[in-house]
Amino acid sequence: MIISMEENVSTRVIESVVDRVKSMGFSYQLNVGTERVVIAVLGGDTHKTDVQVFQVLPGVAEVQRIQKQYKLSSIGFKKEKTIINVGKGIKIGGSEKVLIAGPCSIESEDQIMQCARIAKKVGVQMLRGGAFKPRTSPYSFQGLGKKGLEMLNKAGQEYDLAVTTEVVAIEDIEMVAQYVDVLQIGARNMQNYELLRAVSKINKPVILKRGLSAGIEDEWLPAADYILNGGKAEVILCERGIKTFEKSTRYTLDVSSIAVVKENSHLPIIVDPSHAAGHFKYVPYLSRAAISAGADGLIMEIHPAPWRALSDGAQSLTFSDFQRLISEIK
Ligand code: PEP
Ligand code: MN
């Protein structure tokens, strides 16, 4: 249930509505917008409560029942687009597109430093790199772990880039958060609800990748609500392609999801053309499509020598292809 207050009501009036919400055993979150305050009433049984209970209270303009599985990430809760401040002057969701690039996995200090150097040179704002890799096969390279995080952090500092990496285990979250500006939840963990609940307690933005076969409104946005529900972390959605019958590409980039998210959510959405394509030669096409469709940014895989990469080499751009793509996008 969403309670929209009248414009310019006093804090005391808002508090008395909040008190009523709490007295009925619900939790809540406030969205203090430029014109009005909106209160999301959260809890399992809101559907059994009559909207009149809140509608009659002083200062209440409108009470809407939300039939959807997501509330906090919905446009009903917050009409203004969310702009996430990552630090180092980087804002995701604003008028400027954010560009994120780096290797699939951090493999050595030299490799991540080279990636950071080219990223900085072409004007990318953030560096990515996996230290804990959720690999399909247990026999594939699993990442350098904490050592990788140290390298990533060092490269970010050296080249003044914000950094992001994936976290795969609850017990690693606090440690990983110390090394990066933004946490990443991978596609395979989008429905790992305990992991989502655990990152929701961390005061860091989270890139939430879309699950390999997750519906936008029935699974992905509710997963974002798990993170927003903790009241601390902010969410950046990331479309990375979904499974379809098409075999020419690794996944199918669902460009429509940008439109659906923009119409139904206030959250920023970026696109990962690399995992969607699975092959470097398709990455520029998908990048241009994403930007044209209104994505707030891109996250791309690059490697100094993709043919030697320990993971996702086929979809990683060489530095010269990367430079060309960035200038086209700009
Ligand atoms: C990655 O970013 O390297 C990755 C594993 O992505 P995804 O979770 O989208 O497969
Ligand atoms: Mn990868």
Side-chain angles (χ1 to χ4, degrees), residues 103-105 128-130 132-135 166 184-189 209-212 238-241 250-251 272 275-276 299 301 311-312 315:
C104 177
S105 304
R128 63 150 286 156
F132 296 95
K133 298 302 299 176
R135 301 307 300 279
E166 179 169 353
Q184 183 179 318
I185 296 286
R188 288 159 193 81
N189 274 316
K209 296 192 103 180
R210 182 179 180 184
L212 314 182
C238 177
E239 165 63 45
R240 45 81 71 216
R250 186 174 177 192
Y251 297 94
D272 174 347
H275 288 86
I299 178 165
E301 288 189 340
S311 63
D312 287 350
Q315 68 197 33

Side-chain angles (χ1 to χ4, degrees), residues 40-298:
V41 183
L42 308 169
D45 282 344
T46 52
H47 60 281
K48 289 187 195 149
T49 305
D50 192 333
V51 291
Q52 286 302 321
V53 171
F54 301 112
Q55 188 69 72
V56 295
L57 299 176
V60 171
E62 193 189 355
V63 185
Q64 278 170 280
R65 208 179 268 296
I66 303 277
Q67 303 293 356
K68 295 179 171 171
Q69 305 266 40
Y70 59 97
K71 294 179 185 174
L72 300 176
S73 49
S74 76
I75 207 127
F77 177 55
K78 187 168 180 281
K79 297 228 169 359
E80 314 84 35
K81 295 285 172 198
T82 291
I83 299 177
I84 299 178
N85 214 326
V86 173
K88 297 194 160 81
I90 303 162
K91 291 189 170 68
I92 306 184
S95 52
E96 211 181 312
K97 309 284 179 193
V98 67
L99 298 173
I100 309 171
C104 177
S105 304
I106 302 152
E107 299 171 2
S108 67
E109 188 168 319
D110 179 53
Q111 176 237 26
I112 192 72
M113 284 292 173
Q114 285 194 55
C115 290
R117 190 161 150 263
I118 188 77
K120 189 72 192 179
K121 188 175 162 206
V122 301
V124 159
Q125 297 95 328
M126 281 178 74
L127 180 67
R128 63 150 286 156
F132 296 95
K133 298 302 299 176
R135 301 307 300 279
T136 303
S137 165
Y139 312 113
S140 304
F141 177 61
Q142 303 287 313
L144 295 182
K146 191 159 181 250
K147 276 207 192 93
L149 294 177
E150 286 163 5
M151 294 171 191
L152 179 67
N153 182 277
K154 193 170 164 191
Q157 287 194 17
E158 182 112 356
Y159 290 96
D160 193 32
L161 292 164
V163 296
T164 182
T165 202
E166 179 169 353
V167 60
V168 296
I170 295 173
E171 60 272 23
D172 293 338
I173 295 174
E174 289 202 11
M175 187 266 292
V176 173
Q178 287 172 9
Y179 289 96
V180 297
D181 303 283
V182 177
L183 292 167
Q184 183 179 318
I185 296 286
R188 288 159 193 81
N189 274 316
M190 190 209 80
Q191 284 177 310
N192 183 340
Y193 298 119
E194 289 309 313
L195 186 66
L196 301 182
R197 239 195 281 274
V199 291
S200 82
K201 310 238 159 53
I202 301 284
N203 204 358
K204 287 258 155 118
V206 177
I207 293 176
L208 178 65
K209 296 192 103 180
R210 182 179 180 184
L212 314 182
S213 38
I216 304 166
E217 290 198 84
D218 51 350
E219 289 161 316
W220 193 18
L221 291 173
D225 261 49
Y226 265 91
I227 301 176
L228 296 174
N229 201 19
K232 282 194 156 180
E234 295 177 288
V235 176
I236 302 138
L237 299 165
C238 177
E239 165 63 45
R240 45 81 71 216
I242 50 174
K243 286 207 175 218
T244 67
F245 49 79
E246 183 50 61
K247 297 288 172 279
S248 311
T249 48
R250 186 174 177 192
Y251 297 94
T252 297
L253 180 68
D254 182 12
V255 180
S256 312
S257 76
I258 301 164
V260 175
V261 165
K262 289 286 170 195
E263 287 293 319
N264 292 284
S265 176
H266 54 88
L267 297 176
I269 175 170
I270 61 170
V271 165
D272 174 347
S274 309
H275 288 86
H279 196 290
F280 70 89
K281 69 182 174 199
Y282 299 134
V283 169
Y285 296 87
L286 302 192
S287 303
R288 292 189 296 255
I291 293 292
S292 303
D296 295 299
L298 296 173

